[in-house]
Amino acid sequence: MPSAAAGPAEVALAPPAKAAALPFAGISPDLYPTEDDLPYEEEILREPFKLKGWWRYLVARAAAPFAKRAVIYERALKALPGSYKLWHAYLRERLDHVRPHPISHPAYASLNNTFERALATMHKMPRVWVLYLTSLLDQRLLTRGRRNFDRALRALPVTQHDRIWPLYLRLASLPACPVETSFRVFRRYLQFDPSHAEDFIEFLVSAERWQEAADRLASVLNDDGFRSVKGKTRHQLWLELCDILTKHADEVAGLKVDAILRGGIRKFTDEVGKLWTSLADYYVRRTLYEKARDVFEEGVSSVMTVQEFSVVFEAYTQFEQSMLAAKLEAAEEDGAAGSDEGEKGSKKNKVEKLEKELAACWLNDEDDTDLRLARFERLLDRRPELLSSVLLRQNPHNVEEWHRRVKLFDKDPAKQVATYVEAVKTVDPMKAVGKPHTLWVAFAKMYEKHNRLDSAEDIFKKATQVNYKAVDHLATIWCEWAEMELRNQHFDKAIELMRLATAEPSVEVKRRAAAEGDEPVQLKLHKSLKLWSIYVDLEESLGSLETTRAVYERILDLRIATPQIILNYAFLLEENKYFEDAFKVYERGVKIFKYPHVKDIWVTYLTKFVKRYQRSKLERARELFTEAVEKAPPHEKKALYLQYAKLEEDYGLAKRAMNVYDEAVRAVPNTEKMSMYEIYIARAAELFGVPRTRQIYEQAIESGLPDKDVMVMCMKFAELERNLGEIDRSRAIYIHASNYADPNSHPEFWKKWNDFEIQHGNEDTFREMLRIKRTVAASRSQTHFILPEYLMQRDQKLNMDEAVDTLTRAGVPQDEMAALERQLASGPSPAPAAAPSTSTTPANRMMNFVSAGVEARAESSTQQAAANNEDIELPEEESDEEDDVQIAERAVPEAVFGELGKRAAESREESSSAQENNEQQLGALERIKRRRQ
């Protein structure tokens, strides 16, 4: 018999013949230790209570069958029952071993037994509990799992319960788990972690425990410190509660549904329509239809937006429609049942039924189909009114919306009156959007339309006491009141109203308003031009001249007159033959106003004055015109000067008229000078003859007109001289005008000059015209060659610098370099028969400066001697034009030409002197070369 110190391995090495006496009797021989296991068996025999030896043994036999490793695990755990490492590894291997088998396999019973044995010592290890409980969940052992979950919660400390509860909730959420069990599990879990109340609520909803779900949602919403772990807002929770309360109204009790939903309506304003419909739906499900209708009415009467109104109104119409449809269906069923009973019943039953119907009161009639149909139609008809109420709740001071609301009741004057009364009470003039006085005016006109003038006057009287934002609003009220009186033939009353409205407040009233600090518009009403305009119109039409003049004078004293008021006042006096008084009014008008407002007053004043007095008060008229043109801005002076000149022409002196025109052409702006000169010339020619216009033409040309206008004026002047037979003067004018006429921009000028020379000139004058044309064209296009010339200078200078650098690097002496540099600077010598070539400018020439002399000209080898240094070769097209001209040459005595012959001789002398000057400006070498040529 082995000693007490012998271990299990020692027993296992005993001969198998005595198996009946061994501890491992019945174990397969394959599970016994082999020769390879002897080192590990000896180690565990020596130290059976050390984990290291057992673990090394297990690692060495990692590839062994599970049964053999299970024997090793069992032996090790028997020696070390408190080793967490061994238990955990053993349980994991057992779990992996049973996983391929179905849950009804006996291996699972062995696994559970192993877990129970492990928990005897490992009950404080949460990982062991997690493995065990997960295995029980997979096996769907609900009762055993629930009990072991409870054991785990009792065995583990509270700080480790968070590992157990997720598995426990999985168990409670299984379909096979009884609802009551799940309900209790979730309630226990909320005691551990109240923040997961939403999971409990979702479970209750899925389990259709509506009462508990509503209670939990209500408690969550009442808890101000609750924060949703799923990110839901309080508004979403409110909507969930509303859905539960309304859709399951019969199953939820103990909660004040009406109070809860109304609290949500007050608190959450963005989903008010849905909450109202939910509350109405709650009463519908409770079969409280009248209460539901009241809720719908309250909803459409309290929502603030059109969108919310649409939601509530749509639900309301569906409710009424469904009520009507249900009643019609019930009536059809009752009719069918009554017909069946009538066939089977006796005559006695018919008599009794008839007596009951006659005895019954009409109020007890259960057939309310017509009533429901009328309600439905009435609801549809009320939609515009209800929608208008929504818009007015958004902004009760919207005047235009009040007017639209009144139009909805065109066929109901009583409602119109009620709407107007509500509008004028609600709208604050200081906050109004629109014109609040129009409400009062429309209200009064409605009474006038129904021949209730006394009521209309009362409305106007109350309207005049309202403190409006603008004086014009109050003035409109008074004007509309007066117009109403005029329409009803109460002329005296209308004038009296205007007199009352324009009366200035007393000093005491002004002092009291100043003390209060808020001056109402009633104190400013007496300065309203609108009121005074109507007042003066009434006086002109219905009053006397004295009262009308008093009103006009009052307007002028208040300094609220307009130019039109001045003109109307003057016309009134003129109609009544008070001409001097009318002119005094004009005088006051031109002193009060300035340009541009005074323009009409001046024109009318001057016109009336000249028409009235003509030449009798000519000096006074001249003074008025002088004052008018002095005060007028330049762009307004032309009409006054023309009117002034007309006065002088008709009643004054022609010489003075010319002075007026002369002053006018200097005073008007440049844009109007040309037209003014044309008028000046035309009038001078008519009054003093054509020769008098020469001076005006010369003045116009020298007055600083734009070039285009100068050219036109010169053309007219030249045509005038040609008509007078002064050919030389006309040609001189053309020559002067050529400075303003670019041949490319104004070909009409040159064509006209060309026709003039063909008709009145000769070959010399025609050539002179062509020369001037070429000169002008060259001068106009000279700026186009400045930039290319500068660029050529720069490029040549760069090329010369590069050449000098190359010679320096090649070792050329400085003397030869200087000679080559001069050669590069002077350019290549031209061939004798070559065309003139462009040479570079001297080194000391200023940049961007173009000389007008021979320094800018290229060296030329041609033999022709230029008579004028400005002479330019004629283009081909111009030479063709010259060839086409047929001029008959005839010997004419010099005396015939007169002044023209002298000018031709002088021009030839100037040409010869210019040639000499050119030769003097050339260098000595250049002059020698030309002489040789």
Side-chain angles (χ1 to χ4, degrees), residues 75-177:
R75 292 170 60 197
L77 290 170
K78 188 174 181 181
L80 298 171
S83 174
Y84 170 75
K85 188 173 184 180
L86 286 174
W87 277 114
H88 187 265
Y90 185 27
L91 294 174
R92 294 297 297 270
E93 286 196 24
R94 272 201 169 275
L95 285 171
D96 295 338
H97 175 66
V98 302
R99 188 166 287 116
H101 302 294
I103 60 175
S104 60
H105 197 275
Y108 277 98
S110 178
L111 173 65
N112 296 336
N113 188 26
T114 303
F115 270 113
E116 291 292 343
R117 289 189 292 112
L119 290 173
T121 55
M122 297 291 108
H123 60 279
K124 295 296 182 182
M125 299 300 172
R127 191 176 295 274
V128 177
W129 280 109
V130 169
L131 292 175
Y132 186 23
L133 297 174
T134 305
S135 176
L136 292 176
L137 284 175
D138 295 338
Q139 299 174 52
R140 294 297 188 268
L141 299 176
L142 300 180
T143 303
R144 186 171 183 176
R146 178 178 57 80
R147 291 173 180 174
N148 281 284
F149 272 114
D150 294 339
R151 288 173 57 199
L153 293 174
R154 289 194 298 268
L156 294 175
V158 179
T159 56
Q160 295 179 346
H161 285 190
D162 56 343
R163 294 188 174 189
I164 306 301
W165 274 114
L167 298 174
Y168 206 173
L169 294 179
R170 278 181 55 192
L171 174 69
S173 301
L174 291 175
C177 184

Side-chain angles (χ1 to χ4, degrees), residues 867-888:
N868 192 337
N869 58 354
E870 293 180 355
D871 201 358
I872 302 174
E873 289 292 332
L874 293 175
E876 295 181 358
E877 58 272 12
E878 293 184 357
S879 63
D880 295 340
E881 180 181 355
E882 183 179 353
D883 294 336
D884 295 337
V885 178
Q886 300 296 330
I887 302 176

Side-chain angles (χ1 to χ4, degrees), residues 512-536:
R512 190 183 306 112
E516 294 177 357
D518 186 14
E519 185 179 3
V521 293
Q522 281 76 7
L523 299 182
K524 306 174 186 176
L525 183 63
H526 67 285
K527 290 187 177 182
S528 172
L529 180 61
K530 186 174 185 178
L531 275 178
W532 283 104
S533 299
I534 293 183
Y535 187 16
V536 77

